[in-house]
Amino acid sequence: MGWLPAPVERLLDVALVGELTVIGRDGRPVTHPLIPLYDGERIYMHSSTLFSRKLEHIKRDPHVSISLTDPIALGGLTDRATVQGTARVIEDDPHSQWERLILDLWRKKEPVIDAFLKMRVALPLFFERAVIEITPERCLLWEDGDTGRAPVESVSPGEAAA
Amino acid sequence: MPRIEKEDLSKLAEYPFVVVSWVDDAGYPMSVATEFRADTSTGTVVLEAPAGEAAAIPTDRAVNVLGSHIRPTPGQGYDERRYLQLWGTAGPVADGSVVFMPSSAWGWDESEIPFFEYSERSVPQSRRYLAALSEEKGRTIRPRLSLGWLFLRTTRLPFLSATFVPVLLGLAVAARSGSFDVWLALATLIGGAFAHLAINVTNDIFDTLSGADEANVNPTQFSGGSRVLIYDLVTLRQLVALAIGLFGGAAAIGLWLVWATGSATLLWIGLAGIAVGIAYTAPPLKLVYRGLGEIAVAIGFGPIMVLGAYVVQTGTLSWEAALVSVPVAILVALILYVNEIPDRVGDAAAGKRTLPVRLPQDVVTGVYLAGAVVAFAAVLGGVIGGLVPVWTLLALLAAPLAWRVYGGIRQFYEQPYALMAYMGINVNLHLYVGGLLLIGYLVAIAVDLLT
């Protein structure tokens, strides 16, 4: 089961947008606003093959972070958090594998996705997708989003043991 | 990465906060949200220094600053999507602030580049990614659609109304003159549909090979081709096989109709139709590349279809059928004409000199209005001249649609996605005029039978 603090799990459960930061080809951080999904243990993001540079970056260096920062995209919650972890790109079948893995989670947050999926013929490449599975390893929480105070840090049991 | 521009900082200033990211000593990206002030005079961003060692912005490595905005719209998705990220270096903390000096920037704002255009511009990235993935996995991984949707998209099946309208009209004119065979009528409809779909597929092949479709980053559901080759949903070989199959089906049905009716006139009409269809995009004539596409479409989906269907039933030509074909010929040409408006930049880049490529905006809109007026005048003239039944005046009920399309073209000439709604109305204009003409004929036939 997951180890993330309850306030961070609350953010992940409602977040419509989170900022995924990956490490680019030149070693610089590159940030992508994406919808984060959470199954109680791992965080899932996903990307169309149209916008797949981030997938190439992750395959080169799997270290990533996800920030949850914007109250508008967090259902009014004002806490902020950053989760660092290791990502894996799941891309064996970009046509339908993502549906089996994350469509239920996506649908819970964005029921409208079913309507878009019915129009797949109009934008076929948008729905050729890879899943980014992120195992959280370290977490920083800013209560009430106040970054003027030091964040509360937590690490995964595995990291703590190491 | 593009160099930083002064306007990038002005745009960043519109965001309420930024997310600052860097790669920490453990090799993980680290991000923290903070307040900021963009200073356009010095080209810097003054960041409020986050507290705590873990969130201390480093001074010895690349830093990324992101401003991002999205508006969730329940039940519809999102809108107002935009983000801007800057890369640069940060100075030491002074008075609780950090000065960030950006050197490059990247972003997207859907109010400047609509999502569909952004997606279209990203198609080469999708192809590169899937090619690399195929190599990595040792098997070919391509985008897919279910067979039914793929056929619909590849053949542009919904445009078959352009065939059904003239064929049904030709049949109606023949029926009013006392000739109607249901099996011949069905074969005519199916044969016409095969020919139309074959021409659509052929058009796609040549527009993709010429680069016209690829250069077009503003395709809509009405324009820009099926894009199945560009998206790698099918191979060129598959598309050629489909075109040959469809042409073969059309030819087989056409030859059967010639045999069944014994009409040499029908043979010539069929050959003329296929010739016009191929010459539309195929070399050496490439009519649409020379600004003659509208005339080719008008002939193919006007007199050839109407007279062809009429000849199948009667074995002879008719001035009445020829006149009825005029409004549908003009209106189907106007479908192509309006659909070429958003394609004109890509078409021009590929040397496809369509009328909207050649003509200035005010002439293009004026020609549309003139064409629509002539189409309705043809109906009126036919009735006044006693060539067509008075009930066909019903078609004039659709005239306000032409006026709406004219207004839409004038207002949204430079906005492909806003123009899309009017392209739809323009397709309906052809369908409704054809349908009302057909109803006019059916009423006339009923009246003839009752009197």
Side-chain angles (χ1 to χ4, degrees):
Chain A
M1 281 308 292
W3 59 270
L4 288 170
V8 178
E9 291 196 315
R10 268 200 298 278
L11 293 176
L12 283 167
D13 284 338
V14 299
L16 289 169
V17 180
E19 291 88 28
L20 171 72
T21 303
V22 301
I23 299 174
R25 187 186 294 274
D26 54 7
R28 298 195 298 180
V30 186
T31 302
H32 303 271
L34 296 174
I35 182 168
L37 307 171
Y38 182 58
D39 69 355
E41 184 173 7
R42 292 191 172 89
I43 301 166
Y44 297 90
M45 291 176 138
H46 47 96
S47 168
S48 162
T49 57
L50 288 166
F51 315 117
S52 49
R53 285 231 171 84
K54 64 181 90 58
L55 304 173
E56 295 166 352
H57 294 329
I58 292 169
K59 284 158 76 175
R60 200 180 309 111
D61 185 334
H63 294 133
V64 301
S65 71
I66 299 161
S67 292
L68 306 163
T69 59
D70 184 359
I72 294 173
L74 295 172
L77 296 178
T78 54
D79 287 349
R80 283 172 165 160
T82 292
V83 178
Q84 292 178 315
T86 300
R88 179 170 75 102
V89 177
I90 303 172
E91 54 185 358
D92 293 319
D93 175 11
H95 184 72
S96 58
Q97 191 179 21
W98 64 269
E99 289 185 59
R100 294 191 294 276
L101 293 173
I102 56 156
L103 184 55
D104 284 343
L105 288 169
W106 193 359
R107 184 181 283 134
K108 269 186 204 164
K109 267 193 184 171
E110 272 193 310
V112 72
I113 191 59
D114 285 318
F116 287 123
L117 205 47
K118 282 179 189 160
M119 297 187 289
R120 190 170 188 156
V121 65
L123 203 55
L125 295 188
F126 181 74
F127 287 107
E128 298 292 313
R129 307 186 78 81
V131 174
I132 304 165
E133 181 193 72
I134 299 157
T135 304
E137 291 164 18
R138 181 176 179 232
C139 171
L140 295 92
L141 171 68
W142 289 269
E143 289 175 353
D144 278 334
D146 181 6
T147 50
R149 285 185 296 169
V152 178
E153 288 188 49
S154 326
V155 293
S156 70
E159 289 291 305
Chain B
M1 295 288 174
R3 301 290 301 171
I4 186 86
E5 303 283 345
K6 197 169 180 178
E7 67 176 35
D8 291 325
L9 285 181
S10 302
K11 285 181 181 174
L12 188 73
E14 293 169 11
Y15 294 96
F17 66 90
V18 290
V19 175
V20 185
S21 303
W22 62 91
V23 179
D24 69 14
D25 290 339
Y28 288 82
M30 171 63 205
S31 300
V32 58
T34 191
E35 311 302 313
F36 75 105
R37 178 171 56 81
D39 188 339
T40 52
S41 61
T42 59
T44 60
V45 180
V46 181
L47 303 164
E48 249 180 50
E53 195 182 334
I57 300 171
T59 58
D60 60 347
R61 65 197 73 176
V63 170
N64 171 293
V65 168
L66 170 89
S68 163
H69 179 271
I70 194 165
R71 188 174 70 167
T73 52
Q76 294 174 42
Y78 307 101
D79 64 4
E80 296 182 0
R81 289 167 292 188
R82 56 181 178 271
Y83 68 87
L84 174 64
Q85 51 188 321
L86 311 177
W87 287 269
T89 53
V93 178
D95 296 330
S97 298
V98 168
V99 176
F100 170 71
M101 290 147 286
S103 55
S104 57
W106 173 254
W108 172 57
D109 183 339
E110 73 174 331
S111 70
E112 294 171 1
I113 301 179
F115 175 74
F116 290 105
E117 180 180 339
Y118 188 46
S119 297
E120 212 54 49
R121 289 182 184 278
S122 302
V123 169
Q125 168 63 24
S126 179
R127 292 182 67 116
R128 273 195 300 273
Y129 172 79
L130 289 173
L133 186 61
S134 299
E135 199 174 322
E136 190 183 313
K137 301 281 184 191
R139 59 188 162 88
T140 303
I141 299 175
R142 295 171 58 187
R144 302 200 301 273
L145 274 178
S146 66
L147 201 59
W149 285 121
L150 184 60
F151 183 75
L152 179 138
R153 178 157 193 139
T154 304
T155 57
R156 287 178 275 168
L157 200 62
F159 284 98
L160 270 186
S161 63
T163 287
F164 292 154
V165 163
V167 169
L168 289 173
L169 266 177
L171 295 173
V173 177
R176 187 166 178 252
S177 70
S179 302
F180 186 78
D181 180 294
V182 69
W183 296 111
L184 290 177
L186 270 176
T188 310
L189 268 175
I190 296 168
F194 267 77
H196 183 172
L197 299 184
I199 289 165
N200 281 354
V201 174
T202 309
N203 175 241
D204 247 20
I205 292 169
F206 286 105
D207 272 355
T208 305
L209 292 178
S210 75
D213 280 349
E214 195 150 11
N216 183 352
V217 291
N218 296 118
T220 68
Q221 66 189 99
F222 303 106
S223 62
S226 78
R227 310 189 83 72
V228 290
L229 267 179
I230 294 169
Y231 294 170
D232 204 23
L233 288 162
V234 299
T235 63
L236 181 60
R237 185 186 291 253
Q238 288 170 323
L239 213 53
V240 170
L242 179 63
I244 291 170
L246 290 166
F247 269 125
I253 293 170
L255 288 172
W256 180 79
L257 285 170
V258 169
W259 173 79
T261 61
S263 168
T265 309
L266 182 61
L267 179 64
W268 289 115
I269 289 175
L271 289 174
I274 288 177
V276 168
I278 292 175
Y280 176 73
T281 42
L285 291 180
K286 298 204 291 187
L287 296 172
V288 70
Y289 284 68
R290 304 171 195 276
L292 298 171
E294 285 78 2
I295 292 173
V297 163
I299 292 170
F301 291 97
I304 284 180
M305 289 275 186
V306 176
L307 286 170
Y310 181 87
V311 169
V312 166
Q313 297 291 333
T314 64
T316 60
L317 293 168
S318 131
W319 284 112
E320 181 183 1
L323 180 66
V324 166
S325 76
V326 171
V328 289
I330 292 173
L331 293 177
V332 79
L334 290 181
I335 292 177
L336 173 71
Y337 183 68
V338 173
N339 291 359
E340 285 171 342
I341 292 173
D343 289 353
R344 67 190 188 284
V345 175
D347 285 346
K352 192 174 172 181
R353 304 268 301 149
T354 62
L355 292 180
V357 170
R358 293 166 186 263
L359 303 173
Q361 179 180 345
D362 55 341
V363 177
V364 171
T365 52
V367 166
Y368 177 84
L369 188 61
V373 167
V374 172
F376 287 105
V379 178
L380 196 59
V383 171
I384 292 170
L387 270 174
V388 298
V390 68
W391 296 101
T392 56
L393 287 176
L394 281 170
L396 301 184
L397 291 173
L401 292 181
W403 185 252
R404 281 182 65 193
V405 176
Y406 171 66
I409 299 170
R410 289 183 59 175
Q411 191 176 354
F412 300 115
Y413 199 81
E414 300 291 345
Q415 299 169 53
Y417 299 110
L419 189 60
M420 203 157 70
Y422 296 93
M423 293 156 81
I425 297 170
N426 198 35
V427 171
N428 284 340
L429 173 64
H430 169 261
L431 186 62
Y432 293 165
V433 167
L436 289 167
L437 286 172
L438 188 62
I439 290 170
Y441 264 93
L442 293 178
V443 173
I445 292 167
V447 170
D448 290 347
L449 287 174
L450 293 172
T451 55

